[in-house]
Amino acid sequence: MSPVATGIDPDAPAPRELYRDPVYDGATDPTVVESPDGWFLFYTQRRATHPDPGPGVAWVHGSRIGVARSDDGLRWTYAGTLEPETGGLMLRPGPPPAEVDETHWAPEVIHDGIRWRMYLTEIDGVPTQWPGHQRRIVEYASDDLRTWTRRGPLTLASDRVIDAAVARCPDGRWRVWYKDEAADSTTAVAVSDDLDTWHAEGTAIGGRPHEGPFAFELGGHWWLLTDEWRGMAVHRSSDAVSWQRQGGTDAVILGEGGDPAGGIQIGRHGSVVVTGDEARLYYFTHPWWDGSELADADERTHRRSAVHVARLHVVDGELTAQR
């Protein structure tokens, strides 16, 4: 059902939305961190409403990393974009440049006990189609979440890698989980003792194609979420190395979708902030698209996205999500 048929104004706030990008209305892949200077939201700033982004899927490329700020993690204000500077990136207020020559996707931001580190997907140019373009995960470091020094790309399983998630595991070692598009779009993993040198550990999550892994500890278990484009699969582990899917091969959380007026659409690629015995899952949706075929719908409208939040709890050994 199209937004026109339901009487929805796509320029108006979407039901239940937490944040919308004020420049191109394409906030996706959110990652949220709490710092002594407040909360920071980093996200892929897709060019959903750009008047002329280019042909094909150029609107998904040519993106910068958008940044928003908050005092409580719930009410957000746009702060600008991370723009290339000599040797790294810097937060600049306002919209990105009209012309860009590189694509930035899916930031992962962690604190290693000394400084902040960001693991960013970079793609040369502004591709107009999905295949045929190298994708790499590059590390940056920062002391203030505003100025980032480029440390260089990670050596991973292929040159088609995106969507990094990084955590320190029970064995004291760091692991990065990521989507390897050269391996049927499944989750690969690499391990490091020092965050400088990485060694491949093979496939962490296989099976149905997916993207956007995120790993965290909650309620005495480790959890890894993956985005299957129909909701998020949940995987549980005691050691963050061996994973078992919760609920079987078809089970997902945030898989509900429907009429856009209800404000409940499929939950996509997100990140988790743990506070005590509960957690916040920040994820994105397409508010005006229920996931059905776009042939008879307003595709430009359906490109728009919004960041939402859900509460996560562990109940009887299973992860539950409440929008």
Side-chain angles (χ1 to χ4, degrees), residues 19 39-43 66-70 76-80 91:
Y19 176 78
W39 294 70
F40 283 72
L41 164 65
F42 300 88
Y43 60 93
V67 182
R69 298 287 310 280
S70 174
W76 296 91
T77 301
Y78 179 72
L91 176 60

Side-chain angles (χ1 to χ4, degrees), residues 8-319:
I8 290 176
D9 176 6
D11 292 319
R16 304 174 185 241
E17 73 176 38
L18 192 70
Y19 176 78
R20 295 269 287 278
D21 174 64
V23 181
Y24 293 136
D25 207 5
T28 60
D29 314 328
T31 189
V32 174
V33 296
E34 184 180 10
S35 78
D37 193 27
W39 294 70
F40 283 72
L41 164 65
F42 300 88
Y43 60 93
T44 305
Q45 189 184 58
R46 288 183 183 174
R47 301 180 300 153
T49 60
H50 191 289
D52 185 21
V57 294
W59 70 276
V60 179
H61 298 87
S63 49
R64 291 300 200 217
I65 299 306
V67 182
R69 298 287 310 280
S70 174
D71 293 327
D72 59 5
L74 297 174
R75 288 169 285 273
W76 296 91
T77 301
Y78 179 72
T81 56
L82 296 183
E83 294 300 326
E85 299 284 339
T86 301
L89 300 168
M90 181 173 290
L91 176 60
R92 298 292 188 190
E99 300 291 334
V100 300
D101 59 4
E102 191 172 55
T103 295
H104 292 170
W105 277 356
E108 158 73 316
V109 178
I110 67 164
H111 197 275
D112 67 5
I114 299 175
R115 63 181 63 85
W116 297 98
R117 297 185 187 234
M118 176 168 61
Y119 298 86
L120 178 64
T121 300
E122 293 184 354
I123 304 169
D124 293 333
V126 185
T128 60
Q129 58 186 7
W130 294 116
H133 305 281
Q134 293 186 359
R135 299 157 171 80
R136 59 192 175 272
I137 292 172
V138 179
E139 181 188 333
Y140 291 79
S142 176
D143 293 322
D144 62 4
L145 294 168
R146 297 171 178 81
T147 301
W148 296 87
T149 301
R150 194 178 196 272
R151 292 174 54 87
L154 278 60
T155 300
L156 299 172
S158 79
D159 60 1
R160 298 291 190 276
V161 296
I162 68 172
D163 298 354
V166 178
R168 194 165 195 172
C169 300
D171 62 4
R173 310 181 79 189
W174 294 89
R175 284 178 174 80
V176 54
W177 297 267
Y178 57 94
K179 178 186 179 183
D180 185 358
E181 295 183 339
D184 299 322
S185 294
T186 54
T187 296
V189 60
V191 63
S192 175
D193 293 316
D194 55 11
L195 288 174
D196 288 327
T197 303
W198 295 91
H199 303 282
E201 273 196 332
T203 300
I205 307 294
R208 186 193 299 267
H210 55 266
E211 64 185 9
F214 193 87
F216 60 99
E217 187 178 14
L218 181 68
H221 303 280
W222 276 83
W223 307 92
L224 195 150
L225 304 178
T226 56
D227 176 9
E228 293 189 347
W229 309 292
R230 59 188 191 98
M232 298 183 192
V234 177
H235 311 270
R236 189 178 72 180
S237 176
S238 60
D239 58 8
V241 176
S242 300
W243 301 92
Q244 181 178 5
R245 182 162 181 158
Q246 173 178 294
T249 57
D250 292 326
V252 295
I253 60 172
L254 303 178
E256 307 87 0
D259 188 324
I264 298 180
Q265 300 294 4
I266 295 168
R268 304 170 187 269
H269 190 158
S271 68
V272 176
V273 177
V274 177
T275 54
D277 61 354
E278 73 171 29
R280 294 177 182 175
L281 167 57
Y282 294 88
Y283 62 98
F284 82 94
T285 71
H286 293 293
W288 316 128
W289 177 38
D290 63 5
S292 59
E293 282 295 325
L294 297 180
D296 298 320
D298 181 356
E299 184 176 348
R300 183 174 292 272
T301 294
H302 289 190
R303 293 173 179 176
R304 298 171 186 251
S305 54
V307 175
H308 291 244
V309 67
R311 293 187 182 93
L312 300 180
H313 296 90
V314 178
V315 179
D316 296 329
E318 292 199 347
L319 190 71

